[in-house]
Amino acid sequence: MTSPARTPGAPSPELFTPDQLEAHAARIAATHTLASNPRRARPLLPRLDQSSKRLDKAYLLLSAAARTDPHPVGAEEWLRDNHHVVQDQVREVRQHLPRKFYLELPKLADGPFRGYPRVYLLARELIEHTAGRIDLDTVVEFAVAYQRTSPLSIGETWAIPLMLRLALVEELERLADGVLEARRLREKARAWHPRLSAGPLTPDDLTRLTDDGRQEDGRLSAAFVVELLQWLRDQPVSAAATWQALHAAFEAHGDSADEMLRLEHQREAANELAIGNMISSMRLLSSIDWALFFERASVVEQILREDPAGAYALMDFPTRDRYRHAVEGLATRARQPETVIARRIVELAAAAQSSVPAEDRRHHIGYYLISRGRFELEPAIGYSPILHERLSRFIFKHPALGYLATIAALITVSIASLAAYAMRHGATT
């Protein structure tokens, strides 16, 4: 089962102000329930592949049409001229969303998007309620507002740029479908030009013509009607009878030619603006420093910056990233939220600052993440070391034994190899 998608003719979601966006983020955070096992997931990349193929097809069709149509609409030009930008977004998602990372992202437990990452839905909501017009501050504020109710994990925060790219590609595909449908209807209208030039239409002709321009909801398509009427305006007076017959046919279906013209121009302008927003946002996503976004939006990052020693905030990005990876590993093994682990680390460092002011190493959160303080932290959070950690710690505690055992193992392997070689060449026991 695929999640519901808006059709080209569906009404657009309401556009929100910054304050409304923050309130909306808090609302959807309160409704999200996470699945107990994130590995039971519905794949996202097939959705991306489908959108990518449809946009490729739209590009080829519009490029072919542009060679014969001297008056392309603005939305078509946006799609043709910026197809390489779309391809860049698709490559980014495929490259930076490996299966292992995707399976670790928390998934929704219910609703139409059940089995998809919640950050995917978060990105869709942001794109839909901004008409695709986003910037760094908007993304940060939306993510922060969501996390006041439900904090995101470190991996989820890093995944937001990828999900925004995916949501933009999907929304652009929807808009492109509408552009192609309008193109198809205009071409159907142009196919009637020779018949209209031949003279007044018979009642049967009018019936066939209106049937050609009818949409699924039964109404005549504005793109079809406007194409016909604009062509007729350039014809000689002899076409007046056809003009009047068409007007009468449209009005019989409850449609006004002037209203049709207004709606079509409005639709074309809205499509051009929306597609322009999508492309511009795609370009912006490729230029944003996402490390800066992460450190502004991550709740875990804000907690770690409360380091009592004040050293964490002064470190370079790779060192801070190493600390965050340590928090991720501890949280996964201890089956606790990363925010709980980060808060516990800061509390241990603060307690040491009060109880042992002379031991300044213990005042820094790094002591509990990557140094000896980890042995104090792990029992406090219910962390059970895995096998290779137990082995490395045993060798660390007994260096002489580890040294001698390594030498003994190398000697044993060497002697066994020589003995096996000798036996294969006829040596006795």
Side-chain angles (χ1 to χ4, degrees), residues 24-296:
H24 183 63
R27 279 196 303 272
I28 60 176
T31 65
H32 285 175
T33 303
L34 296 182
S36 57
N37 183 5
R39 302 186 72 82
R40 293 179 180 176
R42 293 160 69 183
L44 264 181
L45 288 183
R47 295 178 63 95
L48 177 69
D49 292 339
Q50 178 186 10
S51 296
S52 176
K53 288 176 182 177
R54 292 176 71 116
L55 286 168
D56 288 345
K57 181 180 178 181
Y59 168 73
L60 294 174
L61 290 174
L62 294 175
S63 296
R67 289 192 283 270
T68 58
D69 186 354
H71 304 294
V73 298
E76 294 180 354
E77 292 181 325
W78 270 102
L79 288 170
R80 285 199 321 272
D81 297 343
N82 295 281
H83 186 61
H84 65 284
V85 178
V86 179
Q87 292 176 312
D88 289 343
Q89 308 310 305
V90 173
R91 279 193 294 268
E92 281 287 326
V93 177
R94 286 175 178 160
Q95 181 178 352
H96 294 106
L97 192 63
R99 176 178 172 80
K100 181 180 178 182
F101 176 49
Y102 178 73
L103 291 178
E104 291 172 353
L105 296 175
K107 310 299 188 302
L108 293 171
D110 51 30
F113 290 91
R114 176 177 55 85
Y116 287 119
R118 63 171 167 176
V119 283
Y120 168 63
L121 182 55
L122 188 68
R124 283 179 61 106
E125 291 287 336
L126 179 58
I127 296 302
E128 288 181 358
H129 291 289
T130 58
R133 188 173 184 176
I134 58 175
D135 54 37
L136 177 59
D137 289 338
T138 300
V139 180
V140 170
E141 289 163 5
F142 194 70
V144 169
Y146 182 96
Q147 293 180 95
R148 294 192 188 107
T149 303
S150 182
L152 300 173
S153 68
I154 291 172
E156 286 180 293
T157 309
W158 276 119
I160 286 177
L162 296 175
M163 298 302 164
L164 287 172
R165 286 186 166 93
L166 178 54
L168 283 169
V169 170
E170 288 186 340
E171 184 67 7
L172 188 64
E173 176 213 345
R174 186 189 68 84
L175 293 169
D177 285 346
V179 171
L180 288 180
E181 177 64 9
R183 159 65 60 180
R184 184 184 69 83
L185 288 165
R186 288 197 302 273
E187 290 178 351
K188 286 182 71 173
R190 289 169 187 169
W192 278 89
H193 291 178
R195 175 64 189 86
L196 295 175
S197 301
L201 298 179
T202 66
D204 288 343
D205 288 337
L206 280 171
T207 300
R208 287 196 299 271
L209 184 144
T210 53
D211 287 344
D212 265 0
R214 205 174 304 283
Q215 302 176 114
E216 291 182 1
D217 61 3
R219 291 195 64 190
L220 291 170
S221 161
F224 182 86
V225 172
V226 169
E227 177 64 29
L228 286 178
L229 296 181
Q230 287 182 335
W231 181 80
L232 281 170
R233 284 177 179 173
D234 297 330
Q235 302 309 302
V237 179
S238 58
T242 301
W243 173 277
Q244 292 169 359
L246 285 176
H247 270 272
F250 301 147
E251 290 171 359
H253 290 86
D255 293 311
S256 160
D258 291 338
E259 179 65 10
M260 285 283 202
L261 186 62
R262 186 189 67 81
L263 289 175
E264 179 61 9
H265 288 168
Q266 185 180 42
R267 185 198 63 79
E268 288 182 359
N271 266 356
E272 183 174 356
L273 177 62
I275 291 174
N277 283 343
M278 300 293 166
I279 298 297
S280 298
S281 293
M282 287 179 179
R283 292 181 182 276
L284 178 67
L285 290 181
S286 299
S287 66
I288 287 178
D289 181 356
W290 290 108
L292 174 62
F293 160 79
F294 174 86
E295 296 198 336
R296 288 178 59 186

Side-chain angles (χ1 to χ4, degrees), residues 420-427:
Y421 177 81
M423 289 182 68
R424 284 197 303 270
H425 290 77

